[in-house]
Amino acid sequence: MSHTTIMLIAGLALLIAMRILIRDKRRATWAFLVLWLLISVGNLLVGVLSAGYGWGEEAVVWLLVFGAPAALALIAARLGSPVSSAD
C-alpha cells in the first residue's frame, strides 16, 4: 500500500474520530481541518526534507492528501446541518 493511500485512510479515520468525539459538528469539522492541515504539512516537510522529493512533486501529492479528506469533511458538515426554513 502506498504512503499516499495510508495518509488518505489516516485522514478519513481522523475525520470519523473527530465527528464521534466532538458532538458539535461545526467544532468537529474545524478541529479536524486544523489538525489535518498540521499533519499533512508535516508529511509534506518529511517528504521534501528527509525523503528527497522536490517541492513541486510533493505539493501535488499534498493537495490530494489534504484536499480529499478536507473536502469530505466540509461536504459532510454541510449535508449534516439542518436546513433553514423561511417562515
Side-chain angles (χ1 to χ4, degrees), residues 43-84:
N43 181 60
L44 173 125
L45 291 174
V46 168
V48 171
L49 301 175
S50 296
Y53 293 107
W55 285 101
E57 58 189 335
E58 195 65 26
V60 172
V61 174
W62 177 80
L63 285 173
L64 172 66
V65 166
F66 175 75
L72 184 61
L74 293 172
I75 291 168
R78 181 74 174 157
L79 293 177
S81 63
V83 177
S84 300

Side-chain angles (χ1 to χ4, degrees), residues 4-38:
T4 302
T5 304
I6 293 169
M7 288 300 293
L8 288 170
I9 292 170
L12 296 177
L14 179 63
L15 174 58
I16 291 167
M18 297 304 284
R19 291 294 297 260
I20 290 171
L21 295 174
I22 301 174
R23 292 195 172 242
D24 182 10
K25 293 174 188 170
R26 183 176 176 174
R27 286 185 60 199
T29 300
W30 281 109
F32 166 76
L33 290 172
V34 169
L35 282 173
W36 191 238
L37 177 64
L38 292 172

